[in-house]
Amino acid sequence: MTYYAQASNLGWSAVEQVNNVGNGVIRQIFYAKYINWVVAFPSLALAMGLISGVSWTTIVCNIAISWIWVISYLVAAFTPSSYKWGFFAFGTFSLLILAMSTINESREAAALLGIQRDYMVLSGWLNLLWLLYPIAFGLTDGGNRIGVTGSFIFFGVLDILTVPVLSFAVLFFARNWDYLKLSIAFSDARPSRESESEIKEAPRASSDIASTV
């Protein structure tokens, strides 16, 4: 939906830029992509937290930090003065906190569950891409060094590698995970294959007991 809106030339505002020679330079700032990140980045933080087995307190904190990161960048993009870099600094600092949490603390929790290798591959890939977003922002909505079309391509590639590719990677590694051990077997309340087999193998009541009942 985000890229449909951008391709339809919707979801943007005109913002004056300050890092250019001369005055009155206007840039299209597409706030639609920030709305996408407000949903996508906390979802990724939630997924990493559920996989690693960290506490819900850590997961909620990581979700909140990801919101601070995205909102800080949004405010920076719409600030028509050099003060934008202050908001950029707040957002980037939040990103570094999020990276330390999803790499260090979560790695220790994942090691206790026996999936440290898989988790490090996933979190390493995610954080490598996340660290490219400040560079992309500084060249596009922040510094206006790359045009709007180039911004679409830059962020588009990052978004695809971050969300869809990481999602398929999780599905690939999840084939060997024990969901009960990871405490993410959310469908336990519904009949599982194990419970169905137990029902089939359970001895049936005799005819005498059945008739008595």
Side-chain angles (χ1 to χ4, degrees):
M1 290 188 290
T2 297
Y3 285 93
Y4 171 78
Q6 292 181 139
S8 302
N9 200 29
L10 302 172
W12 64 273
S13 295
V15 179
E16 183 178 355
Q17 302 297 295
V18 295
N19 295 328
N20 290 278
V21 179
N23 298 320
V25 177
I26 304 297
R27 180 185 177 91
Q28 278 184 300
I29 301 296
F30 282 83
Y31 55 81
K33 65 174 177 286
Y34 295 94
I35 297 175
N36 174 32
W37 296 342
V38 164
V39 177
F41 290 172
S43 300
L44 296 172
L46 172 63
M48 291 295 101
L50 291 175
I51 293 171
S52 65
V54 294
S55 66
W56 279 104
T57 302
T58 301
I59 294 176
V60 171
C61 286
N62 288 343
I63 291 174
I65 291 171
S66 65
W67 279 332
I68 295 173
W69 169 26
V70 175
I71 293 173
S72 296
Y73 276 19
L74 175 63
V75 175
F78 277 83
T79 301
S81 68
S82 58
Y83 288 107
K84 68 170 60 180
W85 298 112
F87 295 107
F88 172 78
F90 284 119
T92 304
F93 182 68
S94 301
L95 167 60
L96 295 177
I97 296 176
L98 183 61
M100 288 188 293
S101 177
T102 54
I103 291 178
N104 186 27
E105 181 181 0
S106 299
R107 175 187 58 81
E108 296 174 353
L112 298 176
L113 299 175
I115 60 167
Q116 179 179 357
R117 181 185 64 85
D118 294 347
Y119 179 80
M120 286 306 299
V121 172
L122 295 173
S123 64
W125 176 259
L126 174 61
N127 282 282
L128 175 62
L129 294 172
W130 270 351
L131 291 176
L132 295 177
Y133 278 89
I135 299 174
F137 178 87
L139 294 174
T140 57
D141 291 352
N144 196 30
R145 301 301 179 183
I146 297 178
V148 176
T149 302
S151 174
F152 286 168
I153 298 174
F154 201 157
F155 284 119
V157 172
L158 288 179
D159 289 343
I160 291 174
L161 294 176
T162 301
V163 182
V165 172
L166 184 65
S167 299
F168 283 111
V170 170
L171 294 176
F172 174 79
F173 286 113
R175 297 178 302 169
N176 300 320
W177 294 346
D178 184 352
Y179 289 179
L180 291 176
K181 186 177 181 180
L182 270 61
S183 298
I184 56 176
F186 299 125
S187 61
D188 276 355
R190 303 182 63 185
S192 61
R193 293 180 179 177
E194 290 78 5
S195 62
E196 289 178 357
S197 61
E198 291 175 359
I199 293 174
K200 292 179 180 179
E201 295 175 359
R204 295 185 177 181
S206 64
S207 57
D208 296 337
I209 298 177
S211 61
T212 304
V213 175

